[in-house]
Amino acid sequence: MPVEQRTALEQLLFFNVNQHRVRLGIQQSIDTYGVPEIYEHDGGLRVRVGDVAGVQTLFAVSDTGRPLGVAVFVRSAHERFAVLHLGVEPRLGATPELNTRVLLKLMHEIRRAARRTRGVDRIELVYKDCHAVRLHG
């Protein structure tokens, strides 16, 4: 993510007006993994979470390069990816189907990464009570 998009990324992760919907999940993720932090690396923006090694970040961006969504995940055990944080641009709320498409695309890309990673057969959504979703096929 370009450094110029820091403010937009901060809005997605830290000041998202939809946070209240998943407040308990956010708190659980922070208690378990640590606080997310945006930092610069090789001229771009990345997200780290506490002292957790191997955190990965996916961005959904508009044609103009503005971030529309972000997903932060890590391989939390040999067989599982844990999605630590998800955020979608709140202004997309005027068109809920676009919100859903952005979230589904982010999750689809995490699932693709999980399938390509040897030994990973589950994705855990830290914000949800149902925890792990098994990958089939």
Side-chain angles (χ1 to χ4, degrees), residues 1-3 5-6 9 38-41 43-47 59:
M1 175 72 41
V3 175
Q5 296 294 337
R6 178 181 283 275
L9 184 55
I38 298 169
Y39 70 101
E40 290 184 34
H41 180 75
L45 296 176
R46 295 198 179 182
V47 178
F59 301 101

Side-chain angles (χ1 to χ4, degrees), residues 15 23 41 47 53 56 62 86 92-93 95 97 103 109 113-114 127:
F15 306 110
R23 189 184 46 150
H41 180 75
V47 178
Q56 299 181 56
S62 71
L86 282 170
L92 298 178
T95 54
E97 66 279 355
L103 279 173
E109 293 302 322
Y127 286 5

